[in-house]
Structure formats: structure tokens, C-alpha cells
Amino acid sequence: MTPPPTSGAPRRHVAVCAFPFATHAAPVLLLTRRIASAAPDVRFTFFNTDKSNAVLFKSAGGGSVPDNIVPHGVHDGVPEGYEFSGSPVEPVGLFLKAGEESLRKSIEEAEEQVGMKISCLVTDAFLWFCQKIAAEKGAPWVPVWTGGASSLASHLHTDLFRSKFGVQDEGLQGRDNEAADMIPGFSAVRVGDLPAGIVTGDLRSPFSQMLHEMAFRLPKAAAVAINSFEGLDPDITRCLSAKLRNFLNVGPFALMSPPPATKSDKHGCLPWLESQAPASVTYVSFGSVATPPPDMLVGLAEALEASKVAFLWSMNDNAQAKLPKGFVERTGGRGKVVPWAPQLALLAHPSVAAFVTHGGWNSILESIVSGVPMICLPFFGDQILNRRFIECVWRIGIGVEGEVFMKTGMLNALKKVMVGSEEGKKMRENLRVLKQLAQEAVKADGSSTQNFSSLMEIITAGKES
Ligand SMILES: *[C@@H]1O[C@H](CO)[C@@H](O)[C@H](O)[C@H]1NC(C)=O
């Protein structure tokens, strides 16, 4: 029999494993904060590369992370003296190759330091090999999917899509527009919308193989948590609930586990919005990591210049350097370009009328809870599928595609979403309904709150249910 813990020692030790690329780790930390605040007697070790943890814990505002979440470094998988070829997916491949071994090692270190074995592994769903580690420890595996229900459903049905459409090394050869409606909630989806790694893309890449392996492992998880709410995708939720044990909608995190209020607005976005007319400004952002392809960026800039609308464009310096010459000066009276903006606060501001986005999942949810229609310019991953849902399923925005027609496409889209147009009105009405569903989901008796309690129980009890 083990003696009862001395006072101050944690009751349990939970591992949280993040995927250190793109915007994956931030929502996982948000969820962990909420869980850790509700379970102060449980220690959460947050496994992630030092590089990603440094950014994450700094932007979280240091002291505002509960004491029972402790970051722990994981090797990034880059061999010593390694020379990068410059491909953006290379670091991902290296991390995944070494991932299982690196995590095992880091987990052992942390168990040693804390003097307590891990009783549950909460991980980014991408880290499928954590299913093996959890099984060896007899601990539940609780993957977190940071995208939407539709992309998760797509990956879980990879083999079904492959049996229908084949595996297309050479692209879809004109089949892009064929219906991919074999699963619930997908009546508007076409095969060209499916994320790469299912029937298109380099299926032998480490990333594609990771996704396929993940789809195979997820049904073995004790629970699968997702940053969404049931009312957004009811049919897909039913389908996933049948395929997975404890499929749990515990979002939107922007309402359920809001980031600590930041006063940071160092580029003066909010005062600038104050000076603008209500519902007049188009907010443009492609997230903190993605830089749009140069043609897209230029087409968009030309459209904003020609449209005469007021806009606030948040883009990193890298992207700013690719703007047409003199753009900032010529549009200075009604446009503002900043390297960073407090997105959620901006979207909530009454002056903002529309959001031009790449269609990343976090941005979509933030737009929904703020009731702002979107113009979606997807680049890759799940963004193309998200765009389809925005335009054809939820009808809360429009997609713009094709770099050649970017300028005209954007000008049309701006006309449609701005206040005053019939289509824009309908979108705002649809948004109002979704926003209300989101708000209900996070109430004390709401579905996301209920599902969060189930998640808490599984994670802190640390037993297979
Ligand atoms: C998740 O929430 C839904 C809606 O309230 C509920 O039907 C379902 O039983 C919940 N699942 C779990 C495991 O809590």
C-alpha cells in the first residue's frame, strides 16, 4: 500500500503533450488552464519543445498560468549539426520521427522529478503514438483535436474516401467537384475540399502518415475532446459520438476557457477603431504563423485599395515586405497595417463589420462568438474544408479562391458581406443563431459544460472508463 501523499504533494500527475507547430499548442494550454484551475490538487506537466513553450508561457502572461501547470522541455528531434534544406515541413518531419522516443524520455524525467507516475495522457490528437505510451502505463489517453468536427470526421473516414476516390498522387484530375457526401453533415462537401493526406497530397510524407495512424488510434482513446460546440455540427457530432468513446465538445474555448484578458494593444488598434464609424471596418488577418502566397497578398491589397473600405490589417513583417509599393501610404487615411493585433477584442468591437481570414479553426470560432461574417481565403490543411462550411453549410461568409481573380473576387466578396447587402444581412442572422447556441453550450447546464465535467472526471480520476 502506498502511503497517503504528504500535504502539498499532488494527488495525481497528468501529462499534457503539445504539438509544437502552427497554432496547435495555444488552445491545448487554454484547455489545460481551465482543467488545472478546477483541479488544484493535480499536477499537470506540459510537455512541449522549449522553443514553443517559451513563446506560449510568455504570451500567457507568466504569473497567470496556474502553479500546477509546469512546462517541461521535449527534444525537437533536430539532430546535432543538421542542415535544413529550407522546406517549411522539415522541422515537423524531424519532430515526428523522434517524437515517441523524445516524449517517453521527457515523461520519465518528469515522473522522477515529481516522484509520481503519470496517471493520464492528455495530448494533441496528432501525437498518436501517445496511445502506445498510455497503454503501457495503463493510463487513459485523451487526445484533443484543435480543428473542427468536419476535419476530424474527414480523417476518421480516410479509408472510406480512399475506397471511393482512390489515392491521387497526381492530384484529382478534374474530380475536385465530385460530391464527398458519404458521411453525415457532408452534403455540401466536394472531394477537392478534403484536407490533404486523405486522397490527395504526398501520402507518404510523415505528416500524412501521422494523420492516417491517428485515425486508426483515436477509437482506442478514453475520450476525444474538441474545441467546438455541439450545435455547430449536430450531424457530425452524432457520427463521431458513435465512432469514438466519449466524443466531447468542450468549446468554444474563446468562451469556455478564455485567454487571460490582455491589455496589450501596443499598436493602438482599439483607439483607431473608436475613431471609425460603426460596422464599417474590414479586419484582415491570416494568423500569427501563416504568410499568404505573394499573388494572393497583392490581389487582396489591390482589392482593399480599390474598394475604398476602411480596413485594419494585421500581418507580420515578412508579409508587410511583400505589399505593393506605396500601399500603406496610399491607403493611410482609411487603412491601418500592424504587425500584431488583439484579435478577440477587435472582433468584438462594434466598428468591425467583416473578417478576412485564412479559415483557421481558432479564427472561425472567434468570429462566430463575435457575430462577424467572414471572407475566407484558405491556403492549406483543413482551411479549404472550413471555407466550404462557412459558405455553404453555416452560411456565415464567403470563400474567395484563385489567385488570378483575387482582386475581383475580393471586391465582390466585400460588397456581399458589408452591411446593407441582402446576403450580408442573412449571414448576420445565421451568425446570431450560432452565437446564441455557443453561449447556451457554455452555460452552467450547457452541453459543453456537461462534457467538460465528463472530461475532468476522466482526466483527474485517471482510470479507464
Ligand atoms: C456531452 O453532452 C451531450 C449534450 O449535453 C450529452 O448528450 C452527452 O451525454 C455528453 N457526453 C458526456 C460523455 O458527457
Side-chain angles (χ1 to χ4, degrees):
M1 233 179 80
T2 44
T6 52
S7 79
R11 185 170 60 83
R12 302 228 179 262
H13 186 188
V14 171
V16 182
C17 307
F19 182 73
F21 301 99
T23 43
H24 268 250
V28 172
L29 180 59
L30 280 184
L31 179 66
T32 308
R33 295 169 71 104
R34 170 139 184 169
I35 300 169
S37 310
D41 55 351
V42 175
R43 147 88 176 222
F44 295 82
T45 302
F46 197 89
F47 297 97
N48 192 9
T49 57
D50 286 331
K51 190 173 157 201
S52 175
N53 264 345
V55 178
L56 208 56
F57 281 79
K58 184 170 143 248
S59 66
S64 60
V65 174
D67 290 345
N68 53 334
I69 303 178
V70 181
H72 191 108
V74 175
H75 187 46
D76 59 11
V78 182
E80 221 159 299
Y82 184 85
E83 298 226 1
F84 281 97
S85 72
S87 151
V89 294
E90 207 174 354
V92 181
L94 292 171
F95 174 77
L96 287 172
K97 192 160 169 228
E100 182 174 345
E101 201 186 316
S102 315
L103 259 171
R104 233 181 253 281
K105 192 163 154 269
S106 296
I107 287 175
E108 270 167 31
E109 282 164 12
E111 285 180 330
E112 183 90 1
Q113 281 166 16
V114 180
M116 188 178 276
K117 295 279 178 204
I118 294 290
S119 61
C120 179
L121 277 89
V122 179
T123 82
D124 193 298
F126 281 1
L127 304 175
W128 59 268
F129 42 78
C130 288
Q131 186 268 327
K132 293 202 273 179
I133 301 177
E136 287 157 17
K137 294 182 169 298
W141 177 45
V142 181
V144 181
W145 180 252
T146 62
S150 57
S151 56
L152 178 57
S154 304
H155 291 297
L156 280 169
H157 292 85
T158 293
D159 291 338
L160 177 70
F161 287 124
R162 287 185 182 175
S163 69
K164 166 112 189 216
F165 299 107
V167 168
Q168 318 273 334
D169 267 342
E170 308 286 313
L172 285 165
Q173 285 143 354
R175 298 182 70 186
D176 291 56
N177 279 327
E178 277 183 39
D181 56 359
M182 299 97 83
I183 55 178
F186 271 50
S187 54
V189 176
R190 306 183 190 166
V191 59
D193 298 332
L194 297 175
I198 296 178
V199 291
T200 57
D202 176 6
L203 302 182
R204 282 172 300 271
S205 75
F207 195 71
S208 297
Q209 292 190 352
M210 170 202 81
L211 289 166
H212 198 208
E213 191 70 48
M214 173 196 79
F216 167 71
R217 304 271 171 172
L218 284 178
K220 300 176 200 275
V224 177
I226 180 171
N227 177 13
S228 192
F229 55 101
E230 209 179 71
L232 187 58
D233 296 299
D235 296 336
I236 304 178
T237 291
R238 264 191 296 279
C239 166
L240 292 176
S241 301
K243 263 187 116 68
L244 302 169
R245 293 160 65 196
N246 297 311
F247 174 61
L248 302 171
N249 276 285
V250 292
F253 292 173
L255 299 179
M256 273 294 276
S257 320
T262 159
K263 295 211 175 56
S264 168
D265 178 22
K266 54 183 173 223
H267 305 292
C269 297
L270 292 166
W272 184 82
L273 282 179
E274 283 302 316
S275 72
Q276 302 294 316
S280 69
V281 176
T282 299
Y283 165 55
V284 186
S285 172
F286 299 110
S288 45
V289 271
T291 300
D295 293 356
M296 189 191 260
L297 198 99
V298 170
L300 173 57
E302 287 174 355
L304 286 172
E305 192 168 345
S307 73
K308 307 273 190 284
V309 299
F311 65 88
L312 178 58
W313 192 342
S314 167
M315 55 158 85
N316 57 34
D317 297 337
N318 217 343
Q320 283 193 30
K322 299 197 177 93
L323 283 171
K325 218 172 164 33
F327 170 80
V328 175
E329 292 75 18
R330 286 195 302 275
T331 56
R334 61 182 163 93
K336 185 172 169 71
V337 176
V338 294
W340 184 87
Q343 177 158 305
L344 201 50
L346 253 54
L347 287 169
H349 196 283
S351 294
V352 170
F355 180 17
V356 179
T357 170
H358 59 309
W361 189 247
N362 298 331
S363 288
I364 293 174
L365 284 181
E366 291 182 356
S367 211
I368 289 175
V369 301
S370 312
V372 176
M374 283 164 270
I375 297 175
C376 185
L377 279 63
F379 323 152
F380 57 75
D382 61 351
Q383 298 159 8
I384 297 156
L385 183 65
N386 291 344
R387 178 223 117 133
R388 177 70 63 197
F389 276 75
I390 288 172
E391 181 170 300
C392 304
V393 181
W394 306 316
R395 297 172 197 266
I396 54 174
I398 12 189
V400 177
E401 245 172 341
E403 286 157 30
V404 187
F405 303 111
M406 184 53 66
K407 181 177 170 186
T408 39
M410 263 305 295
L411 277 168
N412 281 333
L414 281 168
K415 269 192 214 125
K416 282 187 195 162
V417 299
M418 291 314 267
V419 192
S421 90
E422 265 319 300
E423 274 165 292
K425 249 189 244 161
K426 189 79 194 103
M427 288 175 201
R428 284 182 179 78
E429 174 57 26
N430 294 336
L431 276 159
R432 205 183 51 76
V433 173
L434 288 180
K435 181 178 172 178
Q436 197 173 345
L437 287 173
Q439 284 168 338
E440 275 163 22
V442 304
K443 282 188 184 153
D445 57 350
S447 53
S448 286
T449 308
Q450 280 179 29
N451 280 193
F452 182 80
S453 306
S454 305
L455 181 67
M456 278 295 293
E457 228 163 89
I458 294 165
I459 291 174
T460 59
K463 279 197 304 278
E464 286 279 354
S465 57

